[in-house]
Amino acid sequence: MIRLSAFADEISQDPRTQIDVLTRHGVKHIEFRAIHGTNVLDLSSSQHEEFRGLLRSEGFGLSAIGSPIGKIRITEPFDEHLTRFAKALELADYYDCPRVRVFSFYIPPGDDPAAHRSEVMDRMAELARRAEAANVVLLLENEKGIYGDHAERVHDLLTTVGSPALVHAFDPANYVEVGQPIHAAWSLLRPMVKHFHVKDYDAKTHRCVPAGEGDGQIPQLLDDATANGYDGFCVLEPHLVVAELSYGFTGPERFADAANALKRILDDRSIAYA
């Protein structure tokens, strides 16, 4: 079964607006990245309490804590980052959502990623060890400039760490953007994919587009995923208006385009979703 979710901060920074728009489109889960213009890891205790109360009153859940863990250079200190990671694990428990989105560290421009492989593996293994102890699963997203921006390095990372607490969040648009052939990435990583970000990318115009309108092969991927028993979230992260390294914006109106495009793909293929 496909469960729909969304990075709701792409709609608005106001949590009430997020909930209202998602409800209108039949989406009842959120990949929690930000509200009130503040990252999930930096919100106050009272803001978290208020937001959790809103989620519960409206019958919403979280698909993951959309943390920025791993979005620092591999050459930056790790200890302070581990403190932020501890906060992410605490929030996973607080929201009863045992999933945290992570990345595999930026490689300094011009450096060969292989030169930093050992440090990346050590850091990711430590994150996985702590997550496993907390009964949390880390969802490793691929992204441009990150060690795991190409499928071969994602595969190497996941197999080397070898932890059930570290799995793949497959982002088709991010693979297209770095020139990674989608079919090759999917064929290599499919057994490791436990989370799916719905973001498509037109390589000719260098813009994100609604699902099925770009080069991400999203209809084919969802066909194959469900045929092979995929049971998890499809998380809308459209980036239709703004697409930056740490921020994407779509707005309520364009979010409708994104949500309708995904549901049209699922309906056309008789793929069940909720």
Side-chain angles (χ1 to χ4, degrees):
M1 167 73 77
I2 295 290
R3 285 162 283 166
L4 302 182
S5 183
F7 284 87
D9 58 329
E10 291 221 5
I11 297 169
S12 169
Q13 288 293 326
D14 177 64
R16 181 73 260 177
T17 302
Q18 293 181 5
I19 294 290
D20 289 346
V21 172
L22 291 177
T23 299
R24 193 180 312 148
H25 293 287
V27 179
K28 300 296 285 185
H29 287 84
I30 289 174
E31 197 106 331
F32 187 16
R33 183 169 53 194
I35 53 174
H36 305 307
T38 303
N39 183 267
V40 59
L41 300 188
D42 300 315
L43 292 162
S44 68
S45 296
S46 61
Q47 287 173 317
H48 279 299
E49 184 177 2
E50 182 178 359
F51 186 59
R52 186 176 68 170
L54 176 62
L55 293 174
R56 289 176 172 176
S57 68
E58 298 294 335
F60 270 69
L62 299 184
S63 54
I65 303 296
S67 86
I69 295 300
K71 270 199 167 187
I72 61 171
R73 284 194 182 186
I74 191 60
T75 52
E76 291 183 61
F78 191 41
D79 287 347
E80 182 179 339
H81 208 55
L82 285 174
T83 301
R84 285 179 67 73
F85 181 59
K87 178 65 175 179
L89 296 180
E90 290 173 9
L91 291 174
D93 179 65
Y94 183 79
Y95 284 97
D96 193 25
C97 171
R99 294 170 295 277
V100 174
R101 186 270 302 263
V102 298
F103 298 88
S104 53
F105 302 96
Y106 286 114
I107 302 303
D111 282 11
D112 181 353
H116 300 282
R117 180 184 181 277
S118 179
E119 181 66 18
V120 169
M121 297 301 167
D122 288 348
R123 290 186 178 196
M124 295 306 301
E126 180 60 20
L127 294 178
R129 184 190 69 77
R130 296 184 183 212
E132 190 169 356
N135 295 312
V136 169
V137 172
L138 304 181
L139 309 170
L140 177 66
E141 181 178 348
N142 55 290
E143 181 169 310
K144 182 179 180 179
I146 295 284
Y147 179 85
D149 56 0
H150 283 70
E152 292 77 10
R153 284 196 290 272
V154 172
H155 186 272
D156 178 35
L157 200 161
L158 293 173
T159 53
T160 299
V161 173
S163 170
L166 184 66
V167 299
H168 190 28
F170 193 96
D171 190 309
N174 288 351
Y175 278 130
V176 174
E177 189 177 3
V178 300
Q180 167 75 64
I182 290 296
H183 178 72
W186 183 254
S187 298
L188 179 64
L189 297 170
R190 183 177 65 191
M192 303 170 174
V193 175
K194 304 300 180 185
H195 210 65
F196 196 92
H197 284 175
V198 181
K199 183 164 83 235
D200 209 344
Y201 190 80
D202 185 324
K204 291 181 179 178
T205 63
H206 304 287
R207 292 183 63 87
C208 289
V209 294
E213 297 182 17
D215 298 297
Q217 301 182 25
I218 290 175
Q220 297 92 322
L221 295 182
L222 292 179
D223 254 344
D224 189 65
T226 53
N228 284 277
Y230 180 78
D231 180 17
F233 288 98
C234 279
V235 184
L236 286 158
E237 190 187 12
H239 282 22
L240 295 185
V241 176
V242 176
E244 301 292 348
L245 279 177
S246 299
Y247 173 69
F249 182 71
T250 297
E253 295 79 14
R254 295 304 311 278
F255 184 82
D257 297 337
N260 290 337
L262 172 58
K263 288 190 281 188
R264 188 160 50 246
I265 289 169
L266 297 173
D267 289 338
D268 286 350
R269 285 156 179 76
S270 299
I271 297 173
Y273 61 91

